[in-house]
mmCIF file of all heavy atoms in Angstrom:
data_model
loop_
_atom_site.group_PDB
_atom_site.id
_atom_site.type_symbol
_atom_site.label_atom_id
_atom_site.label_comp_id
_atom_site.label_asym_id
_atom_site.label_seq_id
_atom_site.Cartn_x
_atom_site.Cartn_y
_atom_site.Cartn_z
ATOM 1 N N PHE N 1 192.337 63.747 64.548
ATOM 2 C CA PHE N 1 191.837 62.406 64.516
ATOM 3 C C PHE N 1 190.245 62.463 64.830
ATOM 4 O O PHE N 1 189.449 61.715 64.177
ATOM 5 C CB PHE N 1 192.468 61.320 65.468
ATOM 6 C CG PHE N 1 193.774 60.873 64.820
ATOM 7 C CD1 PHE N 1 195.005 61.210 65.319
ATOM 8 C CD2 PHE N 1 193.702 59.841 63.992
ATOM 9 C CE1 PHE N 1 196.126 60.735 64.770
ATOM 10 C CE2 PHE N 1 194.840 59.385 63.333
ATOM 11 C CZ PHE N 1 196.078 59.769 63.723
ATOM 12 N N GLY N 2 189.925 63.272 65.743
ATOM 13 C CA GLY N 2 188.487 63.376 66.124
ATOM 14 C C GLY N 2 187.651 63.907 64.937
ATOM 15 O O GLY N 2 186.674 63.381 64.602
ATOM 16 N N PHE N 3 188.176 64.873 64.272
ATOM 17 C CA PHE N 3 187.474 65.425 63.060
ATOM 18 C C PHE N 3 187.460 64.417 61.943
ATOM 19 O O PHE N 3 186.475 64.198 61.244
ATOM 20 C CB PHE N 3 188.029 66.690 62.546
ATOM 21 C CG PHE N 3 187.610 67.913 63.396
ATOM 22 C CD1 PHE N 3 188.596 68.578 64.093
ATOM 23 C CD2 PHE N 3 186.235 68.246 63.380
ATOM 24 C CE1 PHE N 3 188.063 69.753 64.850
ATOM 25 C CE2 PHE N 3 185.801 69.331 64.261
ATOM 26 C CZ PHE N 3 186.691 70.090 64.928
ATOM 27 N N LEU N 4 188.613 63.648 61.741
ATOM 28 C CA LEU N 4 188.570 62.598 60.760
ATOM 29 C C LEU N 4 187.568 61.547 60.989
ATOM 30 O O LEU N 4 186.876 61.019 60.088
ATOM 31 C CB LEU N 4 190.000 61.967 60.687
ATOM 32 C CG LEU N 4 191.106 62.764 60.001
ATOM 33 C CD1 LEU N 4 192.433 61.984 60.115
ATOM 34 C CD2 LEU N 4 190.851 63.010 58.580
ATOM 35 N N PHE N 5 187.301 61.195 62.223
ATOM 36 C CA PHE N 5 186.291 60.238 62.615
ATOM 37 C C PHE N 5 184.890 60.764 62.489
ATOM 38 O O PHE N 5 184.037 59.913 62.439
ATOM 39 C CB PHE N 5 186.638 59.690 64.067
ATOM 40 C CG PHE N 5 187.694 58.728 64.146
ATOM 41 C CD1 PHE N 5 188.766 58.685 63.248
ATOM 42 C CD2 PHE N 5 187.733 57.770 65.109
ATOM 43 C CE1 PHE N 5 189.789 57.756 63.236
ATOM 44 C CE2 PHE N 5 188.854 56.844 65.168
ATOM 45 C CZ PHE N 5 189.788 56.786 64.339
ATOM 46 N N LEU N 6 184.676 62.039 62.596
ATOM 47 C CA LEU N 6 183.397 62.553 62.622
ATOM 48 C C LEU N 6 182.834 62.975 61.206
ATOM 49 O O LEU N 6 181.737 62.993 60.875
ATOM 50 C CB LEU N 6 183.287 63.931 63.390
ATOM 51 C CG LEU N 6 183.311 63.636 64.928
ATOM 52 C CD1 LEU N 6 183.327 64.947 65.698
ATOM 53 C CD2 LEU N 6 182.220 62.787 65.395
ATOM 54 N N VAL N 7 183.740 63.402 60.220
ATOM 55 C CA VAL N 7 183.314 63.863 58.948
ATOM 56 C C VAL N 7 182.959 62.678 58.145
ATOM 57 O O VAL N 7 183.792 61.730 57.988
ATOM 58 C CB VAL N 7 184.437 64.738 58.344
ATOM 59 C CG1 VAL N 7 184.087 65.087 56.923
ATOM 60 C CG2 VAL N 7 184.671 65.948 59.126
ATOM 61 N N PRO N 8 181.794 62.594 57.518
ATOM 62 C CA PRO N 8 181.391 61.485 56.744
ATOM 63 C C PRO N 8 182.304 61.086 55.587
ATOM 64 O O PRO N 8 182.563 59.998 55.324
ATOM 65 C CB PRO N 8 179.918 61.894 56.184
ATOM 66 C CG PRO N 8 179.430 62.870 57.150
ATOM 67 C CD PRO N 8 180.632 63.665 57.667
ATOM 68 N N LEU N 9 182.786 62.139 54.974
ATOM 69 C CA LEU N 9 183.734 61.959 53.789
ATOM 70 C C LEU N 9 185.056 61.137 54.152
ATOM 71 O O LEU N 9 185.452 60.283 53.388
ATOM 72 C CB LEU N 9 184.174 63.240 53.178
ATOM 73 C CG LEU N 9 184.904 63.131 51.852
ATOM 74 C CD1 LEU N 9 184.107 62.538 50.693
ATOM 75 C CD2 LEU N 9 185.267 64.669 51.428
ATOM 76 N N THR N 10 185.566 61.412 55.309
ATOM 77 C CA THR N 10 186.736 60.732 55.787
ATOM 78 C C THR N 10 186.462 59.480 56.564
ATOM 79 O O THR N 10 187.266 58.631 56.803
ATOM 80 C CB THR N 10 187.681 61.684 56.653
ATOM 81 O OG1 THR N 10 186.897 62.197 57.720
ATOM 82 C CG2 THR N 10 188.226 62.788 55.781
ATOM 83 N N ARG N 11 185.154 59.395 57.102
ATOM 84 C CA ARG N 11 184.855 58.211 57.863
ATOM 85 C C ARG N 11 184.540 57.049 56.881
ATOM 86 O O ARG N 11 184.818 55.898 57.391
ATOM 87 C CB ARG N 11 183.509 58.568 58.652
ATOM 88 C CG ARG N 11 183.219 57.718 59.761
ATOM 89 C CD ARG N 11 182.116 58.077 60.658
ATOM 90 N NE ARG N 11 180.840 58.406 59.987
ATOM 91 C CZ ARG N 11 180.167 59.578 60.041
ATOM 92 N NH1 ARG N 11 180.564 60.448 60.842
ATOM 93 N NH2 ARG N 11 179.011 59.590 59.392
ATOM 94 N N LEU N 12 184.192 57.291 55.638
ATOM 95 C CA LEU N 12 183.918 56.191 54.796
ATOM 96 C C LEU N 12 185.151 55.300 54.531
ATOM 97 O O LEU N 12 185.028 54.190 54.706
ATOM 98 C CB LEU N 12 183.325 56.720 53.469
ATOM 99 C CG LEU N 12 183.108 55.673 52.485
ATOM 100 C CD1 LEU N 12 182.085 54.599 52.805
ATOM 101 C CD2 LEU N 12 182.719 56.278 51.023
ATOM 102 N N PRO N 13 186.293 55.894 54.135
ATOM 103 C CA PRO N 13 187.473 55.004 53.980
ATOM 104 C C PRO N 13 187.939 54.313 55.290
ATOM 105 O O PRO N 13 188.371 53.248 55.266
ATOM 106 C CB PRO N 13 188.540 55.914 53.548
ATOM 107 C CG PRO N 13 187.953 57.228 53.250
ATOM 108 C CD PRO N 13 186.594 57.209 53.842
ATOM 109 N N LEU N 14 187.681 55.027 56.452
ATOM 110 C CA LEU N 14 187.986 54.305 57.806
ATOM 111 C C LEU N 14 187.090 53.167 58.048
ATOM 112 O O LEU N 14 187.555 52.153 58.473
ATOM 113 C CB LEU N 14 187.941 55.364 58.929
ATOM 114 C CG LEU N 14 188.870 56.506 58.886
ATOM 115 C CD1 LEU N 14 188.483 57.592 59.867
ATOM 116 C CD2 LEU N 14 190.292 55.987 59.160
ATOM 117 N N ARG N 15 185.841 53.339 57.670
ATOM 118 C CA ARG N 15 184.954 52.216 57.911
ATOM 119 C C ARG N 15 185.190 51.075 56.969
ATOM 120 O O ARG N 15 185.195 49.936 57.422
ATOM 121 C CB ARG N 15 183.443 52.755 57.558
ATOM 122 C CG ARG N 15 182.412 51.673 57.875
ATOM 123 C CD ARG N 15 180.973 52.122 57.659
ATOM 124 N NE ARG N 15 180.793 52.506 56.290
ATOM 125 C CZ ARG N 15 180.111 53.537 55.840
ATOM 126 N NH1 ARG N 15 179.523 54.398 56.643
ATOM 127 N NH2 ARG N 15 179.936 53.840 54.569
ATOM 128 N N LEU N 16 185.583 51.281 55.679
ATOM 129 C CA LEU N 16 185.880 50.253 54.799
ATOM 130 C C LEU N 16 187.252 49.603 55.170
ATOM 131 O O LEU N 16 187.236 48.309 55.199
ATOM 132 C CB LEU N 16 186.091 50.839 53.354
ATOM 133 C CG LEU N 16 184.903 51.469 52.631
ATOM 134 C CD1 LEU N 16 185.191 52.027 51.392
ATOM 135 C CD2 LEU N 16 183.705 50.311 52.430
ATOM 136 N N PHE N 17 188.120 50.309 55.780
ATOM 137 C CA PHE N 17 189.375 49.760 56.314
ATOM 138 C C PHE N 17 189.051 48.801 57.520
ATOM 139 O O PHE N 17 189.529 47.613 57.530
ATOM 140 C CB PHE N 17 190.349 50.766 56.640
ATOM 141 C CG PHE N 17 191.604 50.217 57.457
ATOM 142 C CD1 PHE N 17 192.582 49.525 56.783
ATOM 143 C CD2 PHE N 17 191.646 50.388 58.791
ATOM 144 C CE1 PHE N 17 193.660 49.047 57.501
ATOM 145 C CE2 PHE N 17 192.684 49.894 59.486
ATOM 146 C CZ PHE N 17 193.752 49.209 58.912
ATOM 147 N N LEU N 18 188.236 49.223 58.322
ATOM 148 C CA LEU N 18 187.893 48.448 59.581
ATOM 149 C C LEU N 18 187.191 47.172 59.076
ATOM 150 O O LEU N 18 187.402 46.080 59.672
ATOM 151 C CB LEU N 18 187.066 49.242 60.535
ATOM 152 C CG LEU N 18 186.697 48.566 61.860
ATOM 153 C CD1 LEU N 18 187.935 48.172 62.661
ATOM 154 C CD2 LEU N 18 185.813 49.446 62.693
ATOM 155 N N LYS N 19 186.208 47.235 58.179
ATOM 156 C CA LYS N 19 185.490 46.140 57.768
ATOM 157 C C LYS N 19 186.450 45.071 57.173
ATOM 158 O O LYS N 19 186.318 43.858 57.378
ATOM 159 C CB LYS N 19 184.400 46.479 56.752
ATOM 160 C CG LYS N 19 183.198 47.360 57.426
ATOM 161 C CD LYS N 19 182.277 47.749 56.481
ATOM 162 C CE LYS N 19 181.369 46.732 55.704
ATOM 163 N NZ LYS N 19 180.386 47.385 54.894
ATOM 164 N N ARG N 20 187.387 45.492 56.280
ATOM 165 C CA ARG N 20 188.324 44.605 55.726
ATOM 166 C C ARG N 20 189.248 43.964 56.850
ATOM 167 O O ARG N 20 189.494 42.806 56.765
ATOM 168 C CB ARG N 20 189.259 45.377 54.686
ATOM 169 C CG ARG N 20 188.785 45.497 53.309
ATOM 170 C CD ARG N 20 189.761 45.911 52.311
ATOM 171 N NE ARG N 20 190.614 46.980 52.739
ATOM 172 C CZ ARG N 20 190.261 48.319 52.480
ATOM 173 N NH1 ARG N 20 189.203 48.556 51.867
ATOM 174 N NH2 ARG N 20 191.070 49.208 52.912
ATOM 175 N N LYS N 21 189.636 44.759 57.789
ATOM 176 C CA LYS N 21 190.475 44.240 58.852
ATOM 177 C C LYS N 21 189.722 43.259 59.655
ATOM 178 O O LYS N 21 190.229 42.252 59.987
ATOM 179 C CB LYS N 21 190.993 45.439 59.632
ATOM 180 C CG LYS N 21 191.936 45.021 60.730
ATOM 181 C CD LYS N 21 193.265 44.639 60.232
ATOM 182 C CE LYS N 21 194.352 44.458 61.223
ATOM 183 N NZ LYS N 21 195.509 43.846 60.749
ATOM 184 N N LEU N 22 188.424 43.537 59.956
ATOM 185 C CA LEU N 22 187.652 42.564 60.841
ATOM 186 C C LEU N 22 187.457 41.214 59.947
ATOM 187 O O LEU N 22 187.561 40.202 60.509
ATOM 188 C CB LEU N 22 186.340 43.174 61.185
ATOM 189 C CG LEU N 22 186.323 44.293 62.231
ATOM 190 C CD1 LEU N 22 185.050 44.951 62.447
ATOM 191 C CD2 LEU N 22 186.882 43.775 63.564
ATOM 192 N N ALA N 23 187.132 41.390 58.780
ATOM 193 C CA ALA N 23 186.969 40.167 57.891
ATOM 194 C C ALA N 23 188.219 39.370 57.756
ATOM 195 O O ALA N 23 188.153 38.110 57.822
ATOM 196 C CB ALA N 23 186.604 40.734 56.538
ATOM 197 N N GLN N 24 189.348 40.048 57.653
ATOM 198 C CA GLN N 24 190.603 39.351 57.641
ATOM 199 C C GLN N 24 190.922 38.646 58.977
ATOM 200 O O GLN N 24 191.377 37.471 58.936
ATOM 201 C CB GLN N 24 191.782 40.357 57.419
ATOM 202 C CG GLN N 24 193.173 39.759 57.339
ATOM 203 C CD GLN N 24 194.172 40.729 57.231
ATOM 204 O OE1 GLN N 24 193.965 41.998 57.210
ATOM 205 N NE2 GLN N 24 195.521 40.334 57.131
ATOM 206 N N MET N 25 190.638 39.254 60.076
ATOM 207 C CA MET N 25 190.847 38.650 61.384
ATOM 208 C C MET N 25 189.870 37.487 61.587
ATOM 209 O O MET N 25 190.281 36.420 62.172
ATOM 210 C CB MET N 25 190.628 39.645 62.410
ATOM 211 C CG MET N 25 191.677 40.719 62.608
ATOM 212 S SD MET N 25 191.174 42.047 63.651
ATOM 213 C CE MET N 25 191.413 41.290 65.216
ATOM 214 N N MET N 26 188.698 37.528 61.102
ATOM 215 C CA MET N 26 187.863 36.460 61.209
ATOM 216 C C MET N 26 188.213 35.229 60.305
ATOM 217 O O MET N 26 188.171 34.024 60.725
ATOM 218 C CB MET N 26 186.369 36.792 60.894
ATOM 219 C CG MET N 26 185.709 37.756 61.986
ATOM 220 S SD MET N 26 184.270 38.460 61.381
ATOM 221 C CE MET N 26 183.154 37.137 60.899
ATOM 222 N N ALA N 27 188.771 35.533 59.148
ATOM 223 C CA ALA N 27 189.216 34.503 58.144
ATOM 224 C C ALA N 27 190.440 33.899 58.685
ATOM 225 O O ALA N 27 190.433 32.532 58.524
ATOM 226 C CB ALA N 27 189.373 35.138 56.793
ATOM 227 N N ASP N 28 191.338 34.508 59.266
ATOM 228 C CA ASP N 28 192.597 33.859 59.782
ATOM 229 C C ASP N 28 192.466 33.291 61.171
ATOM 230 O O ASP N 28 193.423 32.697 61.648
ATOM 231 C CB ASP N 28 193.788 34.742 59.570
ATOM 232 C CG ASP N 28 193.836 35.938 60.581
ATOM 233 O OD1 ASP N 28 193.080 35.980 61.520
ATOM 234 O OD2 ASP N 28 194.616 36.815 60.247
ATOM 235 N N GLY N 29 191.242 33.407 61.763
ATOM 236 C CA GLY N 29 191.017 32.849 63.102
ATOM 237 C C GLY N 29 191.543 33.635 64.221
ATOM 238 O O GLY N 29 191.537 33.198 65.340
ATOM 239 N N SER N 30 192.091 34.771 64.060
ATOM 240 C CA SER N 30 192.461 35.607 65.164
ATOM 241 C C SER N 30 191.375 36.342 65.897
ATOM 242 O O SER N 30 191.553 36.999 66.912
ATOM 243 C CB SER N 30 193.600 36.632 64.774
ATOM 244 O OG SER N 30 193.037 37.497 63.759
#
């Protein structure tokens, strides 16, 4: 997991997932 979070190639999909999750949480009021 540490290497997945550090390598830019694998960090991009993680970042996109987190942005979608945060937007969803903001939209549904949680």
Side-chain angles (χ1 to χ4, degrees):
F1 279 105
F3 282 117
L4 286 174
F5 282 26
L6 286 179
V7 175
L9 186 64
T10 55
R11 199 170 55 231
L12 176 63
L14 292 170
R15 185 178 64 217
L16 294 174
F17 170 78
L18 182 61
K19 286 171 74 172
R20 274 195 314 270
K21 187 69 173 168
L22 290 173
Q24 177 187 5
M25 290 171 68
M26 288 171 54
D28 69 15
S30 61

